[in-house]
């Protein structure tokens, strides 16, 4: 992802190493909340690429200089390139941070013609969504076995996870194939509910090109 050359400073030391399959590289983040946001970006088909702590920007308020580093820069199929700040809602609701990010959003839009969005734990930690992504991520990007590929056309449009596993067993699929189809969104389900044998799956008719 191409980055703008604007008053770049040294990066903050990172604590978490996140292996990004979408970017085929390591991405660094400063909190578990940021790592969970990256996990969401991995599964978002509209996200082309992203980078963390892309660069720092200097800005002035009332003749006093400050420095700010966005958490993430994202290349999105529909929204273009934009920045994100990931923070717990409790911190963003403080008067200091409200004023800070209102100013920053205006400066980014006026000075860079780019959007800075704020993302909170309420946007990320929605019921079982992250737990499901963590369970599926190890299988994300895996190609199905030949036997699985030969059966894709005859798979039903609706079934449960246990039905899919039973179908896979009867047709001698690789043991990873059933969950891999879900991880790669050949089948979708309600992410806010924890994936289990009774989970209802719906075939994603737009997913065959990704299998």
């Amino acid at each position: 992802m191409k980055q703008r050359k604007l008053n770049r400073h040294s990066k903050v030391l990172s604590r978490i190493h996140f292996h990004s399959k979408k970017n085929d590289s390591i991405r660094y983040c400063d909190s578990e909340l940021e790592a969970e946001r990256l996990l969401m970006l991995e599964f978002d088909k509209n996200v082309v690429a992203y980078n963390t702590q892309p660069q720092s920007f200097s800005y002035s308020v009332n003749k006093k200089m400050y420095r700010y580093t966005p958490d993430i820069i994202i290349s999105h199929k529909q929204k273009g390139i934009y920045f994100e700040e990931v923070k717990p809602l409790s911190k963003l609701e403080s008067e200091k941070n409200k004023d800070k990010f209102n100013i920053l959003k205006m400066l980014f839009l006026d000075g860079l013609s780019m959007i800075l969005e704020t993302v909170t734990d309420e946007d990320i930690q929605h019921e079982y969504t992250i737990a499901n992504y963590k369970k599926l991520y190890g299988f994300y990007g895996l190609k199905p076995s030949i036997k699985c590929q030969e059966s894709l056309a005859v798979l039903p449009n609706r079934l449960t996870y246990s039905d899919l596993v039973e179908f896979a067993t009867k047709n001698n699929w690789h043991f990873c194939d059933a969950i891999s189809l879900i991880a790669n969104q050949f089948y979708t389900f309600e992410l806010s509910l924890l994936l289990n044998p009774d989970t209802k799956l719906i075939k994603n008719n737009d997913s065959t090109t990704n299998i």
Side-chain angles (χ1 to χ4, degrees):
M1 183 184 298
K2 190 174 181 181
Q3 299 177 0
R4 293 173 178 263
K5 298 179 180 178
L6 294 172
N7 297 326
R8 186 166 184 171
H9 303 280
S10 60
K11 294 182 179 179
V12 177
L13 293 176
S14 302
R15 294 189 295 270
I16 298 176
H17 293 58
F18 179 88
H19 178 257
S20 168
K21 296 183 179 183
K22 179 164 286 188
N23 296 287
D24 192 25
S25 62
I26 299 295
R27 291 293 184 257
Y28 305 99
C29 41
D30 290 329
S31 69
E32 184 63 31
L33 187 63
E34 289 178 31
E36 290 175 351
R37 177 57 180 157
L38 300 190
L39 192 60
M40 293 181 71
L41 297 178
E42 291 288 323
F43 284 94
D44 189 337
K45 297 295 186 180
N46 287 315
V47 172
V48 179
Y50 63 84
N51 199 5
T52 55
Q53 301 177 1
Q55 64 189 87
S56 293
F57 301 92
S58 297
Y59 66 102
S60 175
V61 178
N62 296 327
K63 298 183 179 180
K64 185 175 180 179
M65 294 300 299
Y66 298 90
R67 189 174 69 182
Y68 169 68
T69 305
D71 290 322
I72 313 171
I73 184 171
I74 299 170
S75 176
H76 193 278
K77 289 180 181 178
Q78 298 174 351
K79 297 163 68 174
I81 297 177
Y82 67 99
F83 294 93
E84 279 190 356
E85 174 69 23
V86 180
K87 261 190 174 43
L89 182 62
S90 58
K91 290 188 176 181
L92 280 176
E93 285 185 330
S94 71
E95 288 302 318
K96 179 180 178 180
N97 276 328
K98 278 183 181 179
D99 292 342
K100 174 183 176 179
F101 287 104
N102 283 337
I103 291 171
L104 282 169
K105 287 179 180 181
M106 180 183 65
L107 291 174
F108 268 68
L109 191 59
D110 293 345
L112 300 174
S113 297
M114 297 184 75
I115 293 173
L116 172 65
E117 294 186 354
T118 50
V119 180
T120 73
D121 48 332
E122 291 198 354
D123 300 313
I124 297 169
Q125 296 170 340
H126 181 61
E127 297 181 334
Y128 289 103
T129 298
I130 294 301
N132 285 323
Y133 281 151
K134 287 180 177 180
K135 182 174 183 177
L136 296 172
Y137 192 53
F139 305 93
Y140 182 71
L142 289 181
K143 291 292 183 182
S145 66
I146 298 299
K147 286 186 177 294
C148 177
Q149 293 182 51
E150 292 172 348
S151 307
L152 293 180
V154 299
L155 281 169
N157 289 327
R158 294 173 181 269
L159 75 174
T160 65
Y161 183 30
S162 61
D163 292 335
L164 181 60
V165 172
E166 182 179 354
F167 185 96
T169 302
K170 287 182 178 179
N171 288 274
N172 298 314
W173 290 7
H174 188 274
F175 73 93
C176 289
D177 283 337
I179 195 167
S180 177
L181 290 183
I182 302 172
N184 290 285
Q185 300 173 24
F186 183 85
Y187 278 106
T188 61
F189 68 101
E190 178 51 60
L191 283 165
S192 63
L193 303 176
L194 190 64
L195 181 64
N196 65 72
D198 296 324
T199 295
K200 296 178 181 179
L201 307 176
I202 301 175
K203 186 184 285 187
N204 179 2
N205 293 323
D206 296 328
S207 66
T208 51
T209 55
N210 298 321
I211 297 296

